[in-house]
Amino acid sequence: MNTFLELYEKNSKYYTVLLGDGGDPAFASKLKKAIKPIIIQEFANKPTVNQQELGYVVQYTLSARIGMMSYWYRQTDKLPSDQLHELIKKLTEQGVTRQLQRYKRQ
């Protein structure tokens, strides 16, 4: 998934336009279609991995990351990029529910 973030940072000026409010609605789908096979390939030789389920997991993850990055680009008061990457990492590794529970306790 680091590849995804590297691509995003490398092409940020294009992604800002394409994924922004006035951008191309089909671009996010095209982006997912380009990245998804790269991720799935990492699990191709694992016979115990349910490939059908893996497809859903990858789709969910890519949708979440693209959504977060799109949201970040549209904000006027942005989190610093390293803080955004750390938040995405936390959400991916620990889950949304755990993060929301942290906010409730604050």
Side-chain angles (χ1 to χ4, degrees):
M1 285 300 177
N2 288 335
T3 303
F4 174 80
L5 294 175
E6 289 168 12
L7 276 173
Y8 226 103
E9 288 176 351
K10 189 177 186 179
N11 300 298
S12 65
K13 67 180 179 179
Y14 303 110
Y15 289 173
T16 301
V17 173
L18 290 167
L19 293 169
D21 291 333
D24 179 2
F27 181 73
S29 179
K30 291 175 188 174
L31 186 59
K32 286 182 231 175
K33 284 181 184 177
I35 297 171
K36 191 173 181 179
I38 297 167
I39 297 169
I40 288 181
Q41 182 61 37
E42 291 182 36
F43 300 93
N45 297 326
K46 309 251 186 222
T48 58
V49 173
N50 179 327
Q51 293 295 317
Q52 184 179 26
E53 188 175 289
L54 176 62
Y56 284 93
V57 171
V58 172
Q59 184 71 19
Y60 174 86
T61 303
L62 289 173
S63 295
R65 286 175 181 246
I66 290 170
M68 290 276 292
M69 298 302 288
S70 297
Y71 180 76
W72 183 72
Y73 280 123
R74 289 190 308 267
Q75 300 308 300
T76 53
D77 185 25
K78 294 180 174 147
L79 288 174
S81 63
D82 59 330
Q83 191 175 346
L84 175 67
H85 295 304
E86 187 59 35
L87 178 58
I88 291 172
K89 182 179 176 187
K90 266 194 249 179
L91 292 171
T92 301
E93 293 175 358
Q94 299 171 11
V96 174
T97 304
R98 182 177 282 176
Q99 189 64 32
L100 290 173
Q101 288 172 343
R102 283 188 188 123
Y103 297 142
K104 278 179 103 173
R105 289 191 295 259
Q106 291 180 355

